[in-house]
Amino acid sequence: MADKKKKMGLIMKLVLFGGVGSVGLLAAGFVGLYFASGSALAQEQSIDVEAIEIPEGDSDAISRGKYLVEHVMGCGHSDCHRADMGGGAVIDEQPVGRVYAPNLTGGKGSATANYDSKDWVRVIRHGLKKDGKRALIMPSEDFWVYPDSDIGAAVAYIKSLPAVDRDNLGHSLGPIGMLIVATEPVFAWDKIDHKKERPKAEPGPTKEWGEVLAGSCRGCHGETLSGGKIPGGDPDWPESRNITPDEATGIGKWEFADFEKAFRHGERPDGTKLHEAMPYKMFEGMKPDDVEALWKYLKTVPAKPAGGR
Ligand code: HEC
């Protein structure tokens, strides 16, 4: 009896200790994550950039900018800066927490009201905010490749929009958000080769221009375009797919019509639908020349098996 009691006591102690121990470990892990993600968000960098022309008031440039913002770069898409560019929560769900895309208009709560052209270039091409902190989630690695005239046009369009008063609620990360920020490549700044030369191409139905446009695919489909888990993406999203010419796992057997249907209408050759994480609704409005340019470029990239990103 006494023995059994002793044993029970021991077990109780172990359970208690174990319990307290794991709570302690969890708490220590949480504190570690809290500091690691906090210091990642606070890290400062700097880079010199050239000023570009922002053709404010030029109606041709503004309509080019509207097209780029709405159907190519997708600034307002996927719950990011929103159609009115007033910003909002990109994700607001525990345990990820809130990730906030700021207000880009001149209204109350604006993040960019005192941005000059260099500040715009720094954040769009390099993922660095005016305060030197790295922008979170902002896919500057996709935009880095666009020529000065297109960056200028996009900014001129954004600046032509009515001021929206919407306070910037900022990021407020939960435990999973902290884990993602501390361990995944969620800052474009870290992914961009800031010294690389931009491909020189003029808009048109060419593979050279297609390479520029494919900048808008790389944040999700990866540098080699072979797809895989999207870093910093909503945990509910599927992996992005292989859009290299690999015959087994990519789009190597597709015709142009197959590509266009999937890319613009979200339907694969076998009739299955794509998840809306693939922003096909935004690409539906892409100009035919641009879709052709993309297709021509995608056919020239090295075939890779799926998932290599
Ligand atoms: C915000 C993320 C995101 C961006 C940006 C994006 N894609 Fe996707 N794409 C996805 C995801 C996720 C899938 C897989 C969807 C699924 O499996 O239902 C996908 C699937 C596809 C498919 C279907 C492939 C297949 O085998 O079914 C094509 C084609 C495609 N994307 C082309 C492009 C091109 C071209 C671009 C750039 C102009 C691009 N995507 C930009 C996320 C993205």
Side-chain angles (χ1 to χ4, degrees):
M1 262 308 262
D3 240 24
K4 207 173 175 190
K5 241 187 178 169
K6 238 188 196 165
K7 230 184 197 168
M8 284 301 286
L10 194 68
I11 289 171
M12 280 309 285
K13 260 186 202 155
L14 276 175
V15 168
L16 260 175
F17 258 77
V20 172
S22 3
V23 169
L25 267 179
L26 266 178
F30 184 78
V31 169
L33 271 182
Y34 179 81
F35 283 108
S37 59
S39 80
L41 285 170
Q43 193 191 112
E44 288 184 21
Q45 298 284 353
S46 71
I47 191 166
D48 266 344
V49 295
E50 303 267 321
I52 61 166
E53 192 204 342
I54 312 249
E56 280 182 76
D58 172 337
S59 58
D60 287 347
I62 289 174
S63 74
R64 170 87 187 151
K66 178 175 163 65
Y67 167 66
L68 291 166
V69 164
E70 291 182 347
H71 299 295
V72 182
M73 296 170 137
C75 316
H77 213 268
S78 304
D79 284 343
C80 287
H81 298 285
R82 310 291 155 96
D84 63 7
M85 296 294 131
V90 182
I91 305 172
D92 192 0
E93 210 180 303
Q94 290 300 346
V96 178
R98 182 180 64 226
V99 176
Y100 205 82
N103 184 346
L104 305 183
T105 74
K108 189 169 149 266
S110 170
T112 50
N114 58 3
Y115 268 41
D116 62 21
S117 93
K118 286 190 180 187
D119 300 325
W120 282 102
V121 169
R122 208 178 288 112
V123 74
I124 295 174
R125 281 207 179 125
H126 301 279
L128 208 58
K129 299 186 277 185
K130 192 179 173 100
D131 62 6
K133 302 208 170 75
R134 297 167 302 166
L136 178 66
I137 308 289
M138 163 75 175
S140 303
E141 72 272 31
D142 294 12
F143 306 145
W144 167 86
V145 74
Y146 285 89
D148 290 357
S149 53
D150 276 348
I151 304 274
V155 175
Y157 166 66
I158 292 169
K159 290 181 81 143
S160 77
L161 291 171
V164 174
D165 294 333
R166 197 173 300 146
D167 283 330
N168 182 355
L169 299 183
H171 307 316
S172 165
L173 301 178
I176 297 297
M178 290 178 195
L179 183 71
I180 292 173
V181 166
T183 59
E184 286 191 27
V186 286
F187 297 102
W189 169 267
D190 301 325
K191 292 183 257 180
I192 297 168
D193 176 355
H194 300 276
K195 296 212 170 76
K196 202 163 127 188
E197 228 179 289
R198 251 183 298 288
K200 296 205 171 32
E202 293 289 316
T206 63
K207 69 173 188 324
E208 288 76 18
W209 181 248
E211 180 179 0
V212 172
L213 293 171
S216 299
C217 322
R218 293 202 144 93
C220 289
H221 288 273
E223 191 51 36
T224 70
L225 300 169
S226 67
K229 186 179 180 308
I230 300 173
D234 191 316
D236 296 338
W237 286 4
E239 293 194 345
S240 67
R241 297 229 172 190
N242 185 0
I243 52 172
T244 76
D246 182 57
E247 295 211 345
T249 62
I251 60 172
K253 289 197 174 131
W254 290 21
E255 301 290 336
F256 175 69
D258 299 326
F259 171 70
E260 195 173 27
K261 204 161 176 192
F263 180 64
R264 280 187 193 277
H265 307 295
E267 196 180 325
R268 295 190 190 87
D270 65 7
T272 53
K273 291 294 266 176
L274 293 177
H275 189 278
E276 286 195 20
M278 163 62 192
Y280 59 85
K281 286 191 176 149
M282 144 181 145
F283 294 135
E284 192 171 359
M286 194 183 265
K287 293 178 179 163
D289 274 5
D290 285 344
V291 180
E292 193 182 328
L294 265 172
W295 172 246
K296 283 184 177 155
Y297 172 67
L298 290 177
K299 286 206 300 192
T300 69
V301 306
K304 294 252 177 228
R309 282 197 50 92

